[in-house]
Amino acid sequence: MVEPMFDYQFRHILIGDSTVGKSSLLKYFTDGKFAELSDPTVGVDFFAHLIEVTDGTRIKLQLWDTAGQERFRSITKSYYRNSVGVLLVYDITNHASFEHIPLWMMEAKRHIEPHRPVFALVGCKLDLVTSGAQQREVSLEEARTFADQHGLIFVETSARSGMNVREAFALVTQEVYNRIKNGEYKVEDGWDGIKKGFMRPNNLDFNLVVAESARSTCC
C-alpha cells in the first residue's frame, strides 16, 4: 500500500532588484528564522519545501531565488520558463525597487509564455517601517492599486519578524492549485511548472519528508 509523499510539485520563482529581501524571505519560509547576515545571491539558489493547501493536498514547492543584478539576467532566463508562480519582490523603503516591478513582470511573462503564471506582488522589510528605523517610500495604497490593476496577489512582509511570509507563498500556491482544480492548468510533458507527486511505501516516516529543506547553488 502506498500514499503520496506529495500530490503535486509547483515551481515558484522570486524576482526583483538586488537587496530587496528575496533571500531573507526564502530563508524565513524554509528555515523559520531570519538571516542576520546574507551574502548576495550569485546566479540562482534553489530551495524545496512542503506546504498544504486548504483541502489538505500536499504540495512540494521548488523555490528559485534569482540574483537581481543585470549581469546575471542571462542565467536566470532559463528558470522563468518552467515556473508557475512568480513572486515580484520589492523593498517598501526603496521606491526605485517598486518602479522596476513592471519590467520584472514583463520579463517573466515573456519567458514563461504560452503558460500564464500566478503573480504576487510582495513588499519586504515591513519591520523597518513599523520600528521607525526607515521611512516608507511605497505606500500601501500605491502598491495595492498597482496589484489590483494587474490582477496580482498582494502582501507586505517582514522576514525579520516572519509577518505574512508564509502567507505570501501560501496564497500563490493556493491559487495555482485552484487553477488545476478548475481545469485552467494541466500537467504537461516538457513543462516543470506543475508535476504530479511521487508515491512512497506506507511504512516510511512522512515527518522526514515534511522537514525537507534542500538547497543547492548554481554559479
Side-chain angles (χ1 to χ4, degrees):
M1 181 177 178
V2 295
E3 61 180 271
M5 294 171 64
F6 51 91
D7 299 279
Y8 291 98
Q9 176 178 288
F10 299 165
R11 182 163 171 160
H12 296 342
I13 191 169
L14 283 76
I15 55 177
D17 287 0
S18 181
T19 74
V20 295
K22 300 186 299 295
S23 298
S24 295
L25 200 68
L26 266 175
K27 179 72 172 177
Y28 193 95
F29 178 60
T30 56
D31 293 349
K33 58 186 178 182
F34 176 70
E36 291 290 345
L37 297 175
S38 180
D39 294 329
T41 301
V42 178
V44 176
D45 276 357
F46 164 77
F47 298 77
H49 198 70
L50 281 179
I51 190 170
E52 289 189 1
V53 291
T54 53
D55 68 0
T57 298
R58 299 165 180 164
I59 311 292
K60 178 182 178 181
L61 300 182
Q62 281 194 345
L63 303 162
W64 300 87
D65 175 22
T66 63
Q69 298 96 325
E70 184 68 35
R71 66 182 182 275
F72 294 118
R73 293 285 180 89
S74 60
I75 297 175
T76 58
K77 284 178 181 177
S78 62
Y79 293 95
Y80 283 106
R81 69 175 63 96
N82 282 317
S83 300
V84 71
V86 180
L87 281 72
L88 301 162
V89 185
Y90 69 97
D91 177 353
I92 67 174
T93 69
N94 180 350
H95 200 275
S97 69
F98 179 74
E99 293 169 7
H100 298 157
I101 289 296
L103 299 176
W104 287 106
M105 184 166 59
M106 181 175 63
E107 185 165 326
K109 287 181 177 179
R110 183 172 73 250
H111 291 296
I112 298 175
E113 287 181 349
H115 300 287
R116 189 173 72 89
V118 172
F119 282 99
L121 179 65
V122 182
C124 286
K125 306 185 184 180
L126 184 58
D127 57 281
L128 295 180
V129 174
T130 55
S131 68
Q134 291 191 36
Q135 293 293 316
R136 174 189 283 273
E137 292 190 4
V138 183
S139 71
L140 190 63
E141 294 75 18
E142 182 180 15
R144 182 174 286 132
T145 296
F146 179 87
D148 290 343
Q149 288 174 343
H150 295 275
L152 312 177
I153 293 167
F154 169 61
V155 62
E156 288 188 338
T157 66
S158 167
R160 182 178 293 275
S161 69
M163 182 180 293
N164 294 333
V165 172
R166 182 174 178 83
E167 286 79 358
F169 293 93
L171 288 169
V172 174
T173 302
Q174 184 68 52
E175 179 58 24
V176 173
Y177 179 69
N178 291 345
R179 294 184 185 184
I180 293 174
K181 296 294 285 183
N182 67 27
E184 182 177 346
Y185 285 166
K186 294 180 174 60
V187 178
E188 299 179 18
D189 291 338
W191 186 51
D192 289 338
I194 301 171
K195 286 185 172 181
K196 284 285 191 180
F198 293 99
M199 309 301 287
R200 69 179 175 92
N202 198 37
N203 60 353
L204 291 183
D205 184 358
F206 179 68
N207 290 328
L208 296 176
V209 182
V210 172
E212 175 188 2
S213 179
R215 178 178 179 179
S216 64
T217 303
C218 300
C219 298

